[in-house]
Amino acid sequence: MTATAPAFTGRRRQRRVAEAHLGWWMIAPVLIVLAANSIFPLVYAVFVSFHNFQLLIPVPHRFVGFANYARIFRDALFWSSLEVTLWFIAGVVFLQFPAGFGLALLLHRLRRRQDLLVTLFLVPTIIAPSVAAFQWAQLYNYQFGPLNYILGLFHLGRPTWTADPQLALPALVFVDFWEWTPFMTLLLFAGLRSLPQNIVDAARVDGSTACQVAWRIYLPLLRPVIGIALVLRILMSVKLFDIIYVLTAGGPGTVTENLAYFTYIEGFRYFNLGYACALAILQLIAVSLLAKLLIRMTRRPGVAHVIPAGGAA
Amino acid sequence: MKHRWKNVHRHGLAAPAAFSRRGFLTGSAALATGAAGASLLGDGFIAPNAFAAAGTVNVEVDAGQNENPFRWKSAQMKSKFGFDTKLIGLPFVGQYEKLVSELTARSSAYDVLVFPPYFLGDFVALKFLRDLDQYKSLMDPKLADYLPVYRDPVIKRNGKTYALMYDGDLLQISYRTDLFENAKERQDFKAKYGYELAPPETWDQYMDIAAFFTRPPQLYGTAFYAARGFCYAWFVNIFAGLGGKWFDDDMKPGINTDAGIKALETLVKMKQYSPPNILQIDYPTLNEVFLNGSTAMVVQWDDLPLKVENPKMSKVVGRGGFAPCPVRSYMPYSRVMAVSAFSKDPENAYRLASYMQQPEVSITYVYDPDCGQDPYRVSQLKDDAVKNHEGKPTMSPAAAKSYVAAIRDGLKAGYPELSIPGAPRYLDILDLYVSQALAGSLSPKAALDSAAREWGGITDAEDKDAQKEAYTAWIKSFKDAGVQY
């Protein structure tokens, strides 16, 4: 026994090592695909962002350190596109979320035809954004658009929706609202359905009004779902491109040019790849920090204390 | 010998049972002798165009009406050369970035590239195009018949031919003769402005006429391409008329000089004489606002008159008059055909490009209202040539005379579109800032100062000395062609 024990331990170690190796071999294809598809492009983008990389100028690319990043903060178009991006984010937080939550509550209260309504609600979301933008281009048409026709019936004038510097951005924020509020509704509705009904019943027995239930029970309990919904939608609104490209191409002037469109112009119209990569990396860092902050806020302890004592009983 | 081919592979392919080197050499020699003999027999044995056994020539062109001439001629090219023509339409705005992205990746998706000449400087520098001089023996492009302004300055770089013309573009005025020739209108106009109502010869006159005919919502004095993407061209059209130049001798931008600022102020002021949706107006909508009778006068590319006289498209048939722009007429866009450096069939690509611009072929489409092509050959500037691709007249003789004269006079005072390395970026930056001034986000001076600052950056990035050299050579080619600059 004494002679075979070390041999047995050695074989077991060998087997463990072999199993560990086997594990690595088995996940190797995934790691290779991940490295090729995500990690390499990201690392290369970081590399390019530190170079004077202009595709159209046939000269060697120079290392320029943080010059591209420094240029971003001096670029007036960056600040104006950041402002446009913030308007879209504000649209998500102050329009889409309240409207989505309200619609989710209405759906939740319905006893019949919930499935049909959910399907209908989803129609704007499942339409390709570029197709939706074409539809809205028709709706906003100054001369033939139904919107102006209806306004004309009431002698309310004929706005030039996407051509008016004052109206173009609100018009686009509204298209985003129309397209993605149902998505917000769906996420919050799913969250509402997963909440324990006994808490709500207990609150009602204690005399809570519908508003109190919504404000003091649903909202706190839905905090993780709200956090996910807001993070997803804010990320999507930062990346928003299709409806801007189709409806206004960033115009009139640059009043609807957001960060994603500005980065596209720098990267694919002027082919300033170094600068475009610096813009993209900066957005990645900013959005990652924002997402982390939002997720941390939704995980803060203290959800339990908002449940009324009666409800908990 | 009989059994030699009887073995069959498991995939069903017959294979020689005793394949020897001697057999192979004997067979090859027989085949080569047979082919050589057959070719000597001439037309009766092998078709004269057997060289074109290649299947398809892929043509990149901005999608829409500009594809039509290729469609009309594809059957002729099939019977003459044997190849099929496949059209790949790209969007008008965005064509440059799409082409650069694909050609940088050495894509062979396109054999023939149709693009505006202002891409040519970049495309030659980036080695995207083949030198066409090497293929001229396949089919003479008959360049001597080109209008001088479209020959050396537009299709050549560094003494080599890189492209052939497909469309000669020019901005010109289309105006409503029923308004301009109306006795009461003429009387009222003279009483108000102190001179006769006629097609404007200065930009001040243009603005007077535009103001005079602004009677919303039924009629607007004018309209112009104000949407982002090409509004810069309408600024340059005025800038040229006010004596502006792209750069000075030291490559200092000329756009923010007094001529530039006055030109942009004029364009911004022109908005008040235009339909309310002016900032949305692009090429098709600009056509539309004239063709539907809601505008008295527009500056537009020179294919609009053909549409004016087409009853299927126009409510103002017989009421269109045509004139060159005040002082100078800007020549934006145009289209040339070039052979991609990455084409796998450059000879057939050249045959297609050369065939499409032959005098007897091009004359059939440069006056067709169903496409956007305009004259670029001396032989095309004839009143009786104004016919569609089926040979039917597209205008009354009087309208055709006025139209061809407007083109001829416009070209005499044509203002060349910038076409040096970096031109698409210079023009795109200019477009961005003109668009910001039109939107009211920046004053004309601030917009043009910003554009000029960015132009300086482009010049430095491209290498100032090289740019100066390219610009000087390009200007010289225009001066040699008889264009004043």
Side-chain angles (χ1 to χ4, degrees):
Chain A
M1 288 293 283
T2 51
T4 54
F8 177 73
T9 312
R11 275 203 301 275
R12 201 158 59 187
R13 190 180 296 128
Q14 275 178 348
R15 194 183 301 144
R16 271 197 205 137
V17 170
E19 277 174 5
H21 282 179
L22 181 67
W24 279 108
W25 279 112
M26 293 187 73
I27 61 167
V30 176
L31 287 178
I32 290 168
V33 170
L34 193 68
N37 282 347
S38 303
I39 298 169
F40 172 72
L42 182 63
V43 171
Y44 190 64
V46 174
F47 171 81
V48 170
S49 73
F50 289 109
H51 287 75
N52 177 21
F53 198 123
Q54 298 203 36
L55 201 61
L56 292 172
I57 300 174
V59 291
H61 312 305
R62 283 184 298 113
F63 176 75
V64 292
F66 283 93
N68 284 325
Y69 290 91
R71 183 184 153 193
I72 291 174
F73 297 102
R74 294 194 307 270
D75 193 334
L77 287 175
F78 166 75
W79 292 108
S80 68
S81 61
L82 176 65
E83 190 186 332
V84 172
T85 305
L86 291 175
W87 276 110
F88 279 106
I89 292 176
V92 168
V93 176
F94 299 112
L95 295 176
Q96 292 184 26
F97 169 64
F101 184 60
L103 287 169
L105 284 176
L106 288 175
L107 270 178
H108 188 57
R109 286 176 70 93
L110 276 181
R111 292 283 169 259
R112 297 165 58 197
R113 304 211 184 275
Q114 274 184 341
D115 292 343
L116 175 70
L117 282 172
V118 166
T119 309
L120 290 175
F121 266 129
L122 273 178
V123 169
T125 303
I126 57 179
I127 295 174
S130 53
V131 175
F134 273 115
Q135 289 176 345
W136 278 95
Q138 305 310 313
L139 291 168
Y140 281 145
N141 186 287
Y142 166 75
Q143 205 166 0
F144 307 111
L147 218 50
N148 276 2
Y149 173 75
I150 293 166
L151 289 176
L153 291 179
F154 296 100
H155 305 287
L156 292 172
R158 293 163 68 197
T160 54
W161 299 99
T162 53
D164 185 330
Q166 310 300 324
L167 287 177
L169 184 57
L172 260 59
V173 169
F174 185 77
V175 175
D176 191 51
F177 171 82
W178 170 85
E179 184 164 23
W180 291 107
T181 299
F183 176 74
M184 186 74 89
T185 305
L186 190 72
L187 282 183
L188 298 174
F189 175 60
L192 284 171
R193 286 182 77 161
S194 68
L195 294 181
Q197 185 60 30
N198 59 341
I199 299 174
V200 180
D201 293 342
R204 288 203 175 118
V205 168
D206 286 351
S208 298
T209 63
C211 285
Q212 283 173 321
V213 169
W215 186 253
R216 291 185 175 275
I217 296 179
Y218 287 146
L219 269 180
L221 289 180
L222 279 177
R223 188 187 272 174
V225 179
I226 292 169
I228 295 294
L230 284 177
V231 166
L232 280 175
R233 280 298 302 129
I234 287 173
L235 293 184
M236 289 159 80
S237 70
V238 170
K239 293 192 297 181
L240 185 74
F241 180 82
D242 320 58
I243 62 168
I244 296 175
Y245 186 83
V246 174
L247 275 170
T248 61
T254 50
V255 296
T256 59
E257 191 170 295
N258 69 350
L259 278 174
Y261 197 82
F262 175 54
T263 309
Y264 160 77
I265 295 278
E266 285 295 334
F268 293 100
R269 193 171 292 173
Y270 306 148
F271 294 96
N272 287 332
L273 295 187
Y275 189 51
C277 282
L279 279 165
I281 297 295
L282 199 70
Q283 285 171 67
L284 179 70
I285 293 168
V287 165
S288 303
L289 289 175
L290 185 66
K292 197 166 178 58
L293 184 73
L294 276 168
I295 290 170
R296 182 173 288 178
M297 281 168 68
T298 60
R299 281 188 187 156
R300 271 195 318 205
V303 172
H305 82 275
V306 298
I307 301 172
Chain B
M1 289 297 286
K2 197 176 168 187
H3 64 277
R4 179 170 283 185
W5 300 96
K6 80 178 179 186
N7 286 356
V8 175
H9 278 202
R10 64 193 164 110
H11 297 302
L13 294 173
F19 189 80
S20 66
R21 186 191 294 172
R22 178 183 294 177
F24 171 73
L25 291 173
T26 313
S28 301
L31 196 64
T33 310
S39 67
L40 288 174
L41 290 175
D43 295 357
F45 192 74
I46 289 182
N49 294 316
F51 56 78
T56 303
V57 175
N58 297 302
V59 180
E60 172 281 323
V61 58
D62 52 302
Q65 61 176 358
N66 296 302
E67 296 171 302
N68 286 341
F70 292 104
R71 289 201 183 96
W72 297 329
K73 304 297 172 193
S74 64
Q76 289 171 25
M77 288 191 281
K78 172 81 176 169
S79 69
K80 193 169 174 63
F81 304 118
F83 56 71
D84 290 308
T85 304
K86 183 182 170 190
L87 298 175
I88 302 167
L90 297 186
F92 175 72
V93 175
Q95 187 187 14
Y96 175 74
E97 42 265 48
K98 175 93 172 138
L99 283 178
V100 170
S101 303
E102 296 203 22
L103 294 172
T104 303
R106 306 174 73 83
S107 165
S108 59
Y110 314 121
D111 298 300
V112 174
L113 305 166
V114 179
F115 56 83
Y118 73 93
F119 294 1
L120 199 67
D122 276 348
F123 283 12
V124 170
L126 293 165
K127 300 185 169 55
F128 288 167
L129 308 178
R130 286 177 193 259
D131 168 10
L132 300 185
D133 291 325
Q134 61 186 309
Y135 301 116
K136 279 181 181 169
S137 60
L138 294 173
M139 191 186 298
D140 179 7
K142 297 179 184 139
L143 300 184
D145 183 39
Y146 272 24
L147 289 159
V149 73
Y150 291 122
R151 195 169 49 225
D152 295 359
V154 172
I155 63 169
K156 291 188 179 178
R157 287 292 178 278
N158 315 319
K160 294 178 181 169
T161 308
Y162 283 99
L164 297 173
M165 288 301 295
Y166 177 52
D167 172 26
D169 272 333
L170 179 75
L171 293 184
Q172 65 177 199
I173 294 175
S174 291
Y175 62 93
R176 289 268 301 278
T177 50
D178 57 326
L179 297 173
F180 276 62
E181 288 165 12
N182 180 289
K184 184 168 183 320
E185 300 284 8
R186 292 174 72 87
Q187 191 184 345
D188 291 350
F189 184 87
K190 188 164 185 185
K192 190 168 182 185
Y193 296 100
Y195 60 94
E196 293 291 339
L197 176 61
E201 291 177 0
T202 66
W203 282 103
D204 287 338
Q205 288 181 5
Y206 189 97
M207 296 299 276
D208 287 346
I209 297 168
F212 178 72
F213 283 118
T214 299
R215 299 156 192 178
Q218 285 80 23
L219 185 67
Y220 294 91
T222 189
F224 58 98
Y225 194 132
R228 188 171 166 187
F230 225 78
C231 58
Y232 91 88
W234 272 251
F235 156 74
V236 173
N237 196 40
I238 305 173
F239 171 67
L242 298 176
K245 289 190 167 64
W246 292 109
F247 295 96
D248 70 6
D249 294 340
D250 195 38
M251 286 305 282
K252 189 179 169 206
I255 48 172
N256 59 338
T257 54
D258 290 347
I261 294 164
K262 187 171 180 210
L264 192 48
E265 284 170 352
T266 305
L267 199 66
V268 170
K269 192 177 175 194
M270 209 181 276
K271 277 169 44 184
Q272 58 187 284
Y273 310 133
S274 305
N277 62 332
I278 182 65
L279 294 182
Q280 270 178 327
I281 287 184
D282 54 8
Y283 168 75
T285 34
L286 184 54
N287 281 343
E288 185 186 306
V289 295
F290 189 76
L291 297 174
N292 68 16
S294 64
T295 311
M297 168 181 68
V298 295
V299 168
Q300 174 65 306
W301 273 289
D302 51 341
D303 56 306
L304 175 60
L306 297 163
K307 293 168 176 46
V308 169
E309 296 299 310
N310 185 340
K312 286 183 195 158
M313 300 177 176
S314 168
K315 290 182 183 169
V316 290
V317 176
R319 290 186 279 159
F322 317 108
C325 296
V327 191
R328 304 291 300 261
S329 295
Y330 185 41
M331 298 160 55
Y333 221 73
S334 295
R335 280 171 190 82
V336 294
M337 298 175 283
V339 175
S340 166
F342 313 111
S343 167
K344 295 209 165 85
D345 191 2
E347 294 195 353
N348 275 332
Y350 173 81
R351 284 189 182 96
L352 182 144
S354 185
Y355 179 77
M356 286 300 294
Q357 55 84 66
Q358 291 293 318
E360 67 278 11
V361 176
S362 55
I363 194 79
T364 65
Y365 63 75
V366 291
Y367 290 115
D368 193 305
D370 286 326
C371 68
Q373 278 46 58
D374 302 303
Y376 51 85
R377 284 183 175 276
V378 176
S379 59
Q380 292 164 349
L381 288 183
K382 293 183 295 194
D383 303 353
D384 60 356
V386 184
K387 294 174 182 165
N388 70 6
H389 71 283
E390 291 167 338
K392 293 178 187 159
T394 47
M395 281 183 167
S396 67
K401 192 174 177 183
S402 155
Y403 173 47
V404 173
I407 294 175
R408 197 180 288 121
D409 294 345
L411 286 173
K412 274 184 204 159
Y415 188 83
E417 182 178 45
L418 189 67
S419 182
I420 58 173
R425 275 160 292 152
Y426 287 115
L427 299 182
D428 210 51
I429 288 290
L430 180 58
D431 189 76
L432 170 70
Y433 285 104
V434 168
S435 146
Q436 286 198 312
L438 289 173
S441 311
L442 290 174
S443 70
K445 183 173 180 342
L448 292 171
D449 283 344
S450 299
R453 208 164 31 247
E454 295 212 28
W455 276 29
I458 297 170
T459 303
D460 291 340
E462 289 274 354
D463 182 55
K464 190 173 173 182
D465 290 336
Q467 288 298 89
K468 206 188 288 186
E469 195 180 326
Y471 180 68
T472 308
W474 176 69
I475 293 298
K476 183 180 179 303
S477 69
F478 271 97
K479 285 183 174 168
D480 291 348
V483 174
Q484 291 178 350
Y485 186 77

